[in-house]
Amino acid sequence: MDRLKGKVALITGAARGLGRQIAQRFTEEGARVIINDLDLDRAEAAAQPLQGLAVAGDVSSSADVEAMFRIVGDYTDRLDILVNNAGIGGTDDEQAAERRRENAEAIARGEVVHNDSTMEMTDEAWDRMLGVHLRGTFLCTRAALKIMTRDEGGSIINMGSIMGTYGKPGGTAYCAAKAGILGFSRALAHEMATRKIRVNSIAPGFIDTDMTAPLVEMKPWIETQTPLATFGEPDDIAWAAVYLASDEAKFMTGQVISPNGGWYMSQ
Ligand SMILES: NC(=O)c1ccc[n+]([C@@H]2O[C@H](COP(=O)([O-])OP(=O)(O)OC[C@H]3O[C@@H](n4cnc5c(N)ncnc54)[C@H](O)[C@@H]3O)[C@@H](O)[C@H]2O)c1
């Protein structure tokens, strides 16, 4: 309790999933939370029980982020923590689900399976993936730094993934976006060190949320590949975020914490 007492935290994409759980734990630890998501009603539904502020906006849009930070600026003159969490999986459309089913059947028959998703990817799908994750992280960080640098200190936490260092077939855009976030975080950590603003990433493994729900057919296989033999739960990420946001992590910057059940061991 009270590990974040008196701090103000903005968490993007926090109407559900990992962001929602991070907001919950931050509140319990004494922070005031600002919850962003695409849709105001969903953001408000998450913010209300936490007595937080809801701000709607697409993090990949400059105009939305500007508008969002105007509201944040009216609400608070300080920002101690930013969690760039908003993200999309690119796994939830029917075409991707159909491909996964066909591939699973072909693998079971012992056939070689080609993955043509990069050949078939549209410009729009590539731009959207990079836009939400990488551009969104940049836009929110740039705006947040203008508030954070008024005081000495702060913590920025960027949501990476094990896919930022592991190459998943069918995931070139997602992996590129998450790898970009890790690089962005390291450079920014160096840049902000003189201002005592720490910048770190979390690289989750497979966690049970709406984003991973479409992976239902692959789940048993993923669990057999995981030394701890299970998907993680949102709290496995939320507690890592509490640590990085708190003063307990005062010597941590430019680092990646990867709660992943041992699925991937070389972050
Ligand atoms: N769940 C996992 O296994 C897992 C693993 C590694 C990394 N991650 C990353 O963690 C983050 C959260 O994932 P999750 O599992 O909670 O996903 P989720 O789909 O449950 O929640 C993501 C939230 O982000 C919001 N969002 C999407 N695009 C947005 C945008 N442009 N602007 C603002 N909000 C937007 C969605 O509306 C949603 O509420 C993502 O960055 C994801 O890539 C998740």
Side-chain angles (χ1 to χ4, degrees):
M1 295 290 273
D2 289 350
R3 291 156 81 192
L4 304 178
K5 193 163 185 220
K7 296 188 191 285
V8 180
L10 167 61
I11 305 133
T12 67
R16 71 180 194 191
L18 304 185
R20 171 71 185 72
Q21 193 59 22
I22 291 168
Q24 170 80 37
R25 293 301 181 198
F26 277 13
T27 305
E28 290 167 9
E29 293 293 340
R32 268 193 298 153
V33 293
I34 304 167
I35 292 195
N36 152 266
D37 215 289
L38 287 168
D39 176 89
L40 186 59
D41 287 346
R42 288 179 53 236
E44 272 173 350
Q48 205 201 11
L50 306 178
Q51 292 168 334
L53 174 74
V55 282
D58 178 341
V59 295
S60 69
S61 151
S62 274
D64 279 18
V65 171
E66 245 175 64
M68 201 169 107
F69 272 86
R70 268 198 299 277
I71 298 170
V72 171
D74 290 343
Y75 173 74
T76 175
D77 55 4
R78 62 180 298 149
L79 187 62
D80 305 280
I81 304 158
L82 168 68
V83 185
N84 283 306
N85 166 78
I88 51 175
T91 50
D92 49 358
D93 64 278
E94 195 35 54
Q95 204 186 350
E98 181 58 30
R99 185 182 294 123
R100 276 196 302 275
R101 272 192 295 275
E102 285 170 7
N103 287 353
E105 285 165 19
I107 289 167
R109 291 192 300 269
E111 294 169 13
V112 173
V113 173
H114 298 295
N115 190 316
D116 294 335
S117 51
T118 301
M119 268 198 288
E120 291 164 5
M121 193 182 306
T122 62
D123 295 8
E124 291 73 25
W126 174 268
D127 288 346
R128 185 73 191 141
M129 187 61 81
L130 274 285
V132 173
H133 291 275
L134 197 47
R135 184 179 157 86
T137 295
F138 159 63
L139 291 177
C140 292
T141 299
R142 182 175 63 183
L145 286 174
K146 289 176 187 165
I147 309 177
M148 276 185 174
T149 51
R150 285 186 211 142
D151 299 311
E152 277 259 302
S155 172
I156 296 179
I157 301 168
N158 294 327
M159 202 56 79
S161 166
I162 45 172
M163 296 306 160
T165 41
Y166 174 87
K168 178 171 90 75
T172 50
Y174 186 80
C175 292
K178 292 303 194 186
I181 285 173
L182 300 186
F184 174 83
S185 303
R186 292 187 187 107
L188 187 70
H190 227 144
E191 210 172 285
M192 285 297 130
T194 54
R195 296 182 187 270
K196 306 273 186 291
I197 295 173
R198 298 180 295 100
V199 186
N200 294 288
S201 307
I202 301 177
F206 293 91
I207 313 293
D208 271 320
T209 65
D210 290 291
M211 184 180 281
T212 51
L215 301 178
V216 61
E217 309 99 354
M218 290 171 67
K219 192 173 180 184
W221 177 82
I222 294 168
E223 289 182 332
T224 62
Q225 302 299 306
T226 306
L228 293 180
T230 181
F231 270 38
E233 51 191 49
D235 253 347
D236 294 321
I237 305 309
W239 288 121
V242 168
Y243 167 64
L244 288 174
S246 76
D247 296 340
E248 293 164 19
K250 65 182 171 43
F251 201 46
M252 289 282 281
T253 198
Q255 306 303 313
V256 182
I257 294 186
S258 185
N260 67 43
W263 190 83
Y264 187 59
M265 293 196 177
S266 64
Q267 286 296 320

